[in-house]
């Protein structure tokens, strides 16, 4: 690890130039200095830094670049221009951080897989690789972001009332059966490959039926669908594809329809909770749906729905569910 010194003689670590390449410049400010240059109160700057999930920085640590100054200024300008409210400021920072942190972890895995042992032992080579690859990744990220933004805007603008964050929507969970056993029996590499295959399959099936993956958490995928039929196809097709993928265990799937609050890329509300409860009740390789979703699907000749009666689920007295299958 090399040492670098700023204009005031303060020393800061720079691991083989990798840090400089990834940040686009060498750190030159303490947190007090970056707040002063950006003309933002130090407490506000620290709050935003923590909201983005970054570690605590000591008062005398030189950790910030001109890009940090620009980012602070831009966020403050969004509030000043009333694009976002002051109350939303930290929520915006937190949501960006949650998405970008996962993206960064995934991209670091690419570095490791390409460079092998060199990643840990030859930091100069790692820095050169980063310098060549990161700009391309940045352009690709912007392309994917703009495409998703355009798709999200299209979905919202076709709703009856795009001004509200609460919409009637189908929410579903797909959960791998026996995940605890898999963790015990599989090596980390084998488990990683299985999860990758599951997430790839789920992403393709949901996208093909005009749905959207909200998030994945280990052995579980949360998705939304634009219509009752689209939801049914997602649930049934997931089981069919999993059955054909011999390395992936079966799924439990639960889906519910009702009012859903969409906020910063996530979904909330009782409909989400009902879908989660139905997933826990579902038997392997089955799809359970609630009454609101079952009603319109019963009118569709492609599907068969079998009631399982009232269920005992904490917080939802008398919750009724139907097993969804294709008509033969």
């Amino acid at each position: 690890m090399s040492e670098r010194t700023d204009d005031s003689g303060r020393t800061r670590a720079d691991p083989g130039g990798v840090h400089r390449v990834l940040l686009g410049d060498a750190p030159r400010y303490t947190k007090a200095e970056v707040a002063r240059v950006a003309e933002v109160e130090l407490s506000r700057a620290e709050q935003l830094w923590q909201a983005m999930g970054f570690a605590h920085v000591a008062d005398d640590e030189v950790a910030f670049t001109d890009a940090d100054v620009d980012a602070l200024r831009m966020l403050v300008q969004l509030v000043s221009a009333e694009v976002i409210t002051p109350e939303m400021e930290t929520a915006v920072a937190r949501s960006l951080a949650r998405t970008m942190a996962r993206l960064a972890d995934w991209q670091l895995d690419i570095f490791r897989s390409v460079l092998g042992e060199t990643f840990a032992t030859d930091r100069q080579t790692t820095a050169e690789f980063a310098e060549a690859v990161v700009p391309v990744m940045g352009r690709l990220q912007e392309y994917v972001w703009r495409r998703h933004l355009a798709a999200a805007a299209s979905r919202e603008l076709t709703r009856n009332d795009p001004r509200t964050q609460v919409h009637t929507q189908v929410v579903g969970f797909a959960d791998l059966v026996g995940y605890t056993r898999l963790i015990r029996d599989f090596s980390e590499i084998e488990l990683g490959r299985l999860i990758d295959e599951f997430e790839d399959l789920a992403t393709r099936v949901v996208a093909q039926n005009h749905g959207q993956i909200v998030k994945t958490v280990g052995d579980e995928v949360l998705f939304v669908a634009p219509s009752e039929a689209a939801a049914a196809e997602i649930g049934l097709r997931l089981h069919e594809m999993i059955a054909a993928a011999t390395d992936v265990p079966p799924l439990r799937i639960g889906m519910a329809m009702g009012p859903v609050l969409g906020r910063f890329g996530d979904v909330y509300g009782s409909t989400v909770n009902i879908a989660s409860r139905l997933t826990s009740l579902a038997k392997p390789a089955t799809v359970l749906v609630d009454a609101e979703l079952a009603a319109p699907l019963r009118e569709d000749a492609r599907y068969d729905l079998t009631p399982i009666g009232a269920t005992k689920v904490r917080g939802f007295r008398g919750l009724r569910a139907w097993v969804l299958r294709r008509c033969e």
Side-chain angles (χ1 to χ4, degrees):
M1 181 178 291
S2 61
E3 298 287 335
R4 299 182 63 88
T5 304
D6 67 8
D7 296 337
S8 66
R10 292 172 298 194
T11 301
R12 65 272 180 106
D14 186 6
V18 176
H19 203 235
R20 178 193 59 78
V21 169
L22 294 177
L23 291 179
D25 195 6
R28 57 182 297 189
Y29 302 110
T30 65
K31 60 184 179 183
E33 289 167 343
V34 78
R36 175 177 53 79
V37 175
E39 300 180 328
V40 176
E41 299 89 346
L42 177 58
S43 60
R44 185 179 181 186
E46 285 188 305
Q47 183 180 24
L48 291 171
W49 180 258
Q50 292 167 6
M52 287 185 283
F54 298 128
H56 172 74
V57 176
D59 291 346
D60 61 348
E61 184 176 351
V62 179
F64 302 97
T65 70
D66 288 324
D68 295 294
V69 175
D70 292 340
L72 271 176
R73 285 174 174 165
M74 285 187 287
L75 196 50
V76 170
Q77 286 169 1
L78 286 175
V79 175
S80 299
E82 298 183 350
V83 175
I84 60 175
T85 65
E87 294 77 18
M88 289 177 62
E89 187 177 64
T90 54
V92 169
R94 190 167 54 248
S95 297
L96 280 171
R98 195 161 51 228
T99 301
M100 292 301 171
R102 294 192 66 189
L103 181 61
D105 287 340
W106 169 74
Q107 289 170 337
L108 203 61
D109 286 340
I110 293 179
F111 279 44
R112 290 193 190 96
S113 64
V114 172
L115 296 175
E117 292 183 1
T118 301
F119 176 76
T121 59
D122 186 346
R123 296 192 175 178
Q124 181 59 38
T125 299
T126 300
E128 291 171 357
F129 178 76
E131 196 159 23
V133 171
V134 167
V136 179
M137 285 182 168
R139 291 195 295 271
L140 183 58
Q141 283 171 202
E142 182 175 4
Y143 160 75
V144 175
W145 165 66
R146 286 184 177 276
R147 272 290 179 182
H148 275 293
L149 188 60
S154 296
R155 287 193 298 270
E156 289 299 310
L157 292 173
T158 55
R159 296 185 190 275
N160 291 333
D161 188 354
R163 296 169 297 177
T164 179
Q165 290 180 295
V166 179
H167 306 286
T168 297
Q169 204 164 23
V170 181
V171 178
F173 287 89
D175 181 44
L176 282 171
V177 174
Y179 186 66
T180 302
R181 178 185 56 78
L182 294 174
I183 293 175
R184 185 183 64 244
D185 296 344
F186 280 36
S187 70
E188 285 77 7
I189 292 176
E190 291 172 329
L191 187 62
R193 287 172 179 164
L194 184 147
I195 292 297
D196 283 345
E197 185 174 359
F198 166 52
E199 290 187 356
D200 176 65
L201 187 151
T203 299
R204 285 189 284 117
V205 170
V206 172
Q208 287 166 1
N209 290 280
H210 307 286
Q212 180 186 5
I213 297 284
V214 177
K215 59 185 175 184
T216 59
V217 183
D219 61 330
E220 191 171 63
V221 170
L222 168 59
F223 61 89
V224 293
S227 68
E228 298 92 336
E233 286 302 313
I234 288 171
L236 295 171
R237 189 63 180 148
L238 276 173
H239 282 316
E240 292 162 359
M241 294 287 285
I242 288 289
T246 55
D247 294 335
V248 183
L251 302 177
R252 293 185 179 92
I253 297 176
M255 299 190 297
M257 186 171 72
V260 176
L261 170 65
R263 182 174 172 81
F264 296 115
D266 210 338
V267 288
Y268 304 90
S270 60
T271 303
V272 181
N273 292 337
I274 290 171
S276 178
R277 298 296 192 276
L278 291 177
T279 304
S280 65
L281 291 172
K283 294 181 179 180
T286 63
V287 180
L288 284 187
V289 302
D290 73 337
E292 284 69 21
L293 182 54
L297 290 178
R298 279 198 297 268
E299 304 300 319
D300 193 320
R302 293 173 295 175
Y303 308 118
D304 174 72
L305 289 112
T306 304
I308 65 170
T311 60
K312 294 182 179 179
V313 178
R314 188 175 63 181
F316 295 94
R317 181 180 298 177
L319 177 64
R320 300 183 66 82
W322 281 256
V323 179
L324 171 67
R325 300 184 182 91
R326 292 195 189 279
C327 282
E328 299 187 5

